[in-house]
């Protein structure tokens, strides 16, 4: 019996050691590891190099310091080009619903700012938090394990997204960042550029608008008559001649239902569509035709 019990203990120990090994995804977009392999008071250095990915810290113990330095594609940087904006990074993190056992700090030039507290039995779901890194700034995420006698069932996990010089129209739910000008109507130049660079470009009508006061967002339900582009399957079958989908925007923008056809453009953040430019379709068509006649189109769209 002793021999069997000893063998079982070794199997459990080997299993724990195996789970404690930190692993990177092959493209260094994600990291998964365990605090069981860390010494008390230690800080493990982690670097990820993708525009989006995830981190899963099982049984948090000690601390992690995460450096995010994506190799951004040329299309991710702003209109000024890679030379001017390549060091300007906007990042957003979305903690998992089951985030437990650690706190996330933003480390900016040696100063720590709490972004995500430890959710023991928090009544509200974790929110998306965003921050920017200006050229020359040293920015990292610092994860500090919170002491608990029982570390089982505690996993500090989150997803992240990074882009180059996102403009002020980036619309995400956040407690700490406010984007000036997010509700300002786009001019013709911005609309035509949005058609080229957005994750989705859809013609449709507003079916309804609902407001989530807690999350500070408005949810626009759209009936899409034509999908020019969508990065993910955002719009599903909503009828014989249309598809239905939801687009989010900031509550402060005061979006209301209205008649007419619109061209909806925007970005996808953590699987959700967020509104960018949304002119009436007839206004977009006029701007598009004027730019085409002047040979100033940044890209073409098959309108007919």
């Amino acid at each position: 019996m002793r021999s069997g019990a000893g063998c079982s203990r070794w199997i459990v120990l080997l299993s724990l050691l195996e789970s404690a090994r930190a692993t990177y995804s092959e493209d260094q977009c994600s990291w998964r590891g365990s605090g069981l392999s860390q010494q008390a008071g230690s800080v493990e250095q982690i670097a990820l190099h993708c525009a989006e990915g995830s981190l899963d810290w099982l049984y948090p113990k000690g601390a992690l310091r995460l450096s995010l330095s994506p190799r951004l594609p040329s299309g991710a940087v702003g209109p000024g080009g890679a030379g001017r904006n390549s060091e300007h990074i906007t990042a957003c993190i979305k903690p998992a619903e089951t985030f437990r056992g650690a706190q996330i700090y933003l480390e900016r030039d040696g100063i720590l700012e709490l972004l995500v507290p430890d959710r023991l039995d928090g009544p509200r779901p974790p929110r998306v938090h965003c921050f920017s890194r200006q050229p020359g700034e040293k920015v990292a995420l610092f994860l500090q394990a919170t002491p608990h006698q029982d570390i089982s069932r505690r996993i500090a996990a989150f997803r992240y997204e990074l882009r180059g010089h996102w403009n002020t129209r980036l619309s995400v739910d956040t407690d700490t960042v406010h984007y000036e000008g997010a509700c300002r109507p786009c001019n013709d130049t911005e609309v035509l550029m949005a058609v080229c660079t957005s994750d989705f470009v859809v013609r449709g009508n507003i079916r309804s608008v609902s407001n989530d006061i807690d999350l500070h967002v408005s949810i626009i339900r759209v009936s899409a008559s034509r999908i020019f582009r969508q990065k993910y399957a955002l719009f599903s079958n909503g009828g014989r001649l249309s598809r239905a989908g939801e687009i989010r925007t900031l509550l402060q923008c005061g979006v209301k239902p209205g008649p007419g056809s619109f061209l909806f453009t925007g970005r996808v953040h953590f699987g959700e569509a967020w509104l960018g430019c949304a002119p009436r379709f007839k206004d977009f068509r006029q701007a598009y035709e004027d730019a085409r006649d002047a040979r100033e189109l940044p890209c073409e769209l098959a309108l007919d």
Side-chain angles (χ1 to χ4, degrees):
M1 292 296 293
R2 288 185 179 181
S3 176
C7 181
S8 297
R9 285 196 295 270
W10 273 111
I11 292 175
V12 172
L13 179 58
L14 288 174
S15 176
L16 289 175
L17 290 175
E18 181 66 25
S19 65
R21 295 175 183 172
T23 59
Y24 284 87
S25 61
E26 292 183 3
D27 49 9
Q28 292 190 334
C29 297
S30 301
W31 180 90
R32 180 181 177 89
S34 170
L36 296 178
S37 63
Q38 292 183 236
Q39 296 181 356
S42 65
V43 179
E44 183 167 349
Q45 302 288 333
I46 303 169
L48 298 177
H49 303 287
C50 292
E52 56 185 80
S54 62
L55 181 143
D56 293 85
W57 192 18
L58 287 66
Y59 318 121
K61 182 181 178 182
L64 305 177
R65 186 178 185 275
L66 173 61
S67 174
L68 299 173
S69 53
R71 293 183 284 266
L72 295 170
S74 58
V77 297
R84 191 177 76 177
N85 291 321
S86 59
E87 294 187 8
H88 187 120
I89 301 296
T90 299
C92 295
I93 61 173
K94 184 176 184 178
E97 292 285 340
T98 55
F99 185 94
R100 298 289 191 281
Q103 300 185 111
I104 304 178
Y105 293 86
L106 174 64
E107 179 188 321
R108 190 190 300 273
D109 291 331
I111 300 176
L112 296 179
E113 172 190 348
L114 180 63
L115 288 182
V116 181
D118 187 356
R119 296 184 65 251
L120 295 176
D121 295 300
R124 298 173 59 186
R127 297 193 173 199
V128 173
H129 297 264
C130 298
F131 56 91
S132 295
R133 185 196 73 189
Q134 303 297 331
E137 279 190 319
K138 295 182 179 180
V139 176
L141 293 176
F142 187 83
L143 285 74
Q144 176 69 56
T146 51
H148 297 285
Q149 291 183 348
D150 179 14
I151 63 173
S152 64
R153 298 183 182 180
R154 301 191 186 278
I155 300 177
F158 64 86
R159 296 166 60 187
Y160 70 87
E161 291 184 350
L162 298 93
R163 297 292 184 270
H165 188 63
W166 270 346
N167 61 26
T168 55
R169 293 185 178 280
L170 175 62
S171 299
V172 289
D173 173 48
T174 172
D175 289 330
T176 58
V177 179
H178 298 280
Y179 294 93
E180 297 180 1
C183 304
R184 176 181 58 80
C186 296
N187 59 38
D188 290 349
T189 301
E190 291 169 333
V191 168
L192 295 174
M193 186 58 67
V195 168
C196 304
T197 61
S198 293
D199 291 336
F200 62 90
V201 181
V202 174
R203 179 181 180 179
N205 300 77
I206 299 177
R207 299 172 57 184
S208 64
V209 177
S210 60
N211 297 322
D212 190 319
I213 305 300
D214 292 334
L215 295 179
H216 307 292
V217 300
S218 294
I219 302 174
I220 309 167
R221 292 176 177 83
V222 173
S223 176
S225 57
R226 184 168 183 182
I227 299 175
F228 296 99
R229 183 192 315 127
Q230 60 175 339
K231 186 176 181 180
Y232 302 103
L234 302 170
F235 296 85
S236 58
N237 291 333
R240 187 175 63 177
L241 300 176
S242 66
R243 297 184 182 182
E246 295 181 349
I247 303 175
R248 286 163 169 74
T249 190
L250 299 180
L251 181 63
Q252 67 197 51
C253 295
V255 175
K256 298 183 181 302
S261 178
F262 295 83
L263 185 75
F264 298 98
T265 69
R267 296 286 189 183
V268 176
H269 303 296
F270 303 110
E272 298 174 340
W274 285 85
L275 188 64
C277 298
R280 291 189 177 274
F281 190 79
K282 62 181 181 63
D283 296 332
F284 160 71
R285 178 184 284 274
Q286 185 63 57
Y288 183 89
E289 292 175 350
D290 290 345
R292 183 180 57 190
D293 294 342
R295 298 184 178 181
E296 295 178 349
L297 279 178
C299 66
E300 293 186 0
L301 197 67
L303 297 182
D304 300 323

